[in-house]
Amino acid sequence: MQNVFATVTQLEAHAHNAFGLTEDIMIENAAAALEKEVRATGATCVLIICGSGNNGSDGYALARRIMGAISCNVYAPCEPKTENCKQQRALAKAVGVHAIRRATFLKMIHARTVIVDCLYGTGFHGTLDAQTAQLFLKINSTPCTRIACDIPSGIDSRGAILTTYKNKAIAFNAHTTVAMGALKAAYFSDIAKDFCGHIVKANIGVSAALFENCSSLPDAQLLSCRDMHLPVREKKSVHKGAFGHAAIVAGEKSGAAIIAGEAALAFGTGLVTLVETTQSSTARFKMPPELMSAKMFPKNTTAVLLGSGFGRVQYNAAEELLAWISLHKDVRIVLDADMFYYEKISSLLKRFSQRVVLTPHPKEFQSLLKLCSFGSHSVETLVENRLEFVKKFSAQFPKAVLVLKGANTFISCGSGVFISTEGNQCLAKAGSGDVLAGLICALLAQNYSTQEAAITAVLAHGCASQPFAKSYAISPHKLIREIEKLSI
């Protein structure tokens, strides 16, 4: 896991006070990190867009470092404002760095060019002016290599992009973003995923361990596939009951429950039963013979999934099922889909929070927040302020585990927020969420903690999607087969 911070202001102040890192030292190290990425491209022509503040300082320092070895020009839409930026521009001029006009800059863009964005930093807010928006639209549509210093210009500290031009969200679209000092939360918003590219963390004078070691606690932690703990079977003398019994409630759209059940069985649980309600329609499907069916939860149930394809017209049936769960205090619960429109979900969470995992997408999260008295918010507001809202939810329900799905998935609970970036756009397909819910239920059935089940299932789900990446043809069964191939 890597630490993620909403802001690094305190970290930089600590580095200055504790280790004597001056701004000059940090600028030089930031420029060195950018230089490393530029040189790795093998480019012979580099264009740097320099702003008037700290990011501009890094850009001018980069130009100074590579001038003479690589053809380098600077385009500066505005004059330096900070003393550091003025000083770095003077040093760049002294070694022969040329400042070019906008028209010249646009003529020099071609496939072999590297463009480095040093215009704005993490302090950017509001919208880009029309000229800059037009410039980025042109740059983004050109087959050049694009590198961003710290954060692509046009993305604010929340990860939101408020500028639109020709009906498109506009920011510098980087192939690589060099994160100075620490990872920022802004990189992991849904929309930022399309603009940050590959994120490289660079130290700016001391190691990450020292830079991040101050009183400023991380706002989240970034997961990787190494944080996944698969349910590998090591003991040889076992039986199916040793690996739990997952009960999946089948409702109005029973296909969702069947998909979740198949995912649960493929992810290690020993037994899976579909619990049918009055609205169930499993007879319409060719039921996999390895899945059992019943009218009520089996006595040896260890985990329950409720909500996938359940429908919103039979909450009375849900209450009967919940009454059974309340009597069986060792049973873990996954709540999905239609359960986030259940009017009594707030009281349900208060009763079951320490053994529940919730898996909403943003629209369902909107309903969940409203029913839990967080007020009415647009989906756009929730997506733009994802970190803030998951923290608020977990502050009220610290023992519950929230899995907020999206381009990046946020897992939040009392112990903190975890972010998974492994998922791909191919997962935007009916049934993908049912697979994830089934995976979580499978791990809960096998006695994983709610947090560990959520983390491992989300990572497995995302990692399994990677071979398909941009594919439009993924299906739940293809995804499950890829999950079966995962190894330690």
Side-chain angles (χ1 to χ4, degrees), residues 322 324-334 351-357 399-400 444 450:
L322 292 168
W324 183 93
I325 293 171
S326 67
L327 296 174
H328 296 78
K329 301 188 184 301
D330 293 331
V331 173
R332 314 280 179 82
I333 313 152
V334 182
R351 287 160 57 197
F352 301 136
S353 63
Q354 64 187 14
R355 50 183 171 133
V356 70
V357 179
K399 294 181 180 179
L444 293 178
T450 50

Side-chain angles (χ1 to χ4, degrees), residues 305-308 310-312 315 333-346 348-349 356-372 393 401-405 433 437:
L305 167 56
L306 177 59
S308 296
F310 187 70
R312 304 180 196 175
Y315 287 129
I333 313 152
V334 182
L335 296 180
D336 187 40
D338 293 314
M339 286 306 296
F340 302 121
Y341 299 91
Y342 177 49
E343 289 186 357
K344 299 179 182 179
I345 192 167
S346 181
L348 185 159
L349 289 177
V356 70
V357 179
L358 305 98
T359 60
H361 57 54
K363 180 68 175 174
E364 293 162 349
F365 190 47
Q366 178 191 42
S367 175
L368 175 63
L369 289 178
K370 185 176 181 179
L371 293 172
C372 292
F393 183 86
V401 175
L402 172 69
V403 176
L404 181 56
K405 296 177 286 192

Side-chain angles (χ1 to χ4, degrees), residues 200-212:
V200 177
K201 186 167 73 170
N203 77 59
I204 51 176
V206 292
S207 68
L210 291 176
F211 186 73
E212 297 172 10

